Amino acid sequence: QVQLLESGGGSVQPGGSLRLSCVASERTETMGWFRQTPGKEREFVACVWRNGGTTYYADSVKGRFTISRDRAKTTIFLQMNSLNVEDTAVYYCVGGNRLIQSSLRQASQYAYWGQGTQVTVSS
């Protein structure tokens, strides 16, 4: 069972930045981030697909967030800039194998989930 451990959450003012990290106990083909607010379903944020490293983003974060992966492919990062209050959520690191491109934004396709880290954007 792959274990994922997130870090880097916290509180920041609107317009600020945070950097999330996630370390996996072993390599998975695809790694990414989802987020969730109370009463809502988990929402795709970004992912790095397979070993080729193609990145995908939700429209709501495109241009503000950047996902990256280390060379060992066991750690990913999410650099979040120009944060706004709508970005407040619990952010989950996810991992999965044999995902196809059309399924990358579906939470059910990811077999491995971290415990989540809270990101709060507030003035």
Side-chain angles (χ1 to χ4, degrees):
Q1 181 76 2
V2 177
Q3 295 183 339
L4 303 174
L5 181 62
E6 306 103 334
S7 61
S11 297
V12 65
Q13 292 185 340
S17 299
L18 283 174
R19 179 178 167 92
L20 305 183
S21 301
C22 173
V23 180
S25 59
E26 59 186 85
R27 183 183 298 185
T28 62
E29 285 183 348
T30 299
M31 293 184 71
W33 298 90
F34 279 71
R35 66 187 182 185
Q36 188 173 27
T37 55
K40 293 188 177 181
E41 294 186 353
R42 291 182 178 181
E43 173 192 22
F44 172 80
V45 176
C47 74
V48 182
W49 183 45
R50 293 192 175 173
N51 296 326
T54 306
T55 56
Y56 296 84
Y57 296 91
D59 288 343
S60 59
V61 307
K62 200 173 296 183
R64 301 187 298 120
F65 291 11
T66 302
I67 189 170
S68 59
R69 191 170 191 174
D70 73 336
R71 294 185 66 179
K73 296 182 171 58
T74 56
T75 303
I76 60 169
F77 307 94
L78 186 68
Q79 179 65 43
M80 304 185 294
N81 298 328
S82 301
L83 285 161
N84 57 57
V85 294
E86 289 77 25
D87 296 315
T88 296
V90 177
Y91 284 70
Y92 295 92
C93 179
V94 297
N97 296 312
R98 295 179 295 278
L99 272 72
I100 59 176
Q101 187 177 14
S102 61
S103 69
L104 294 176
R105 300 170 189 269
Q106 300 172 22
S108 61
Q109 299 300 309
Y110 292 86
Y112 311 111
W113 289 74
Q115 292 297 309
T117 184
Q118 177 71 45
V119 171
T120 302
V121 184
S122 173
S123 56

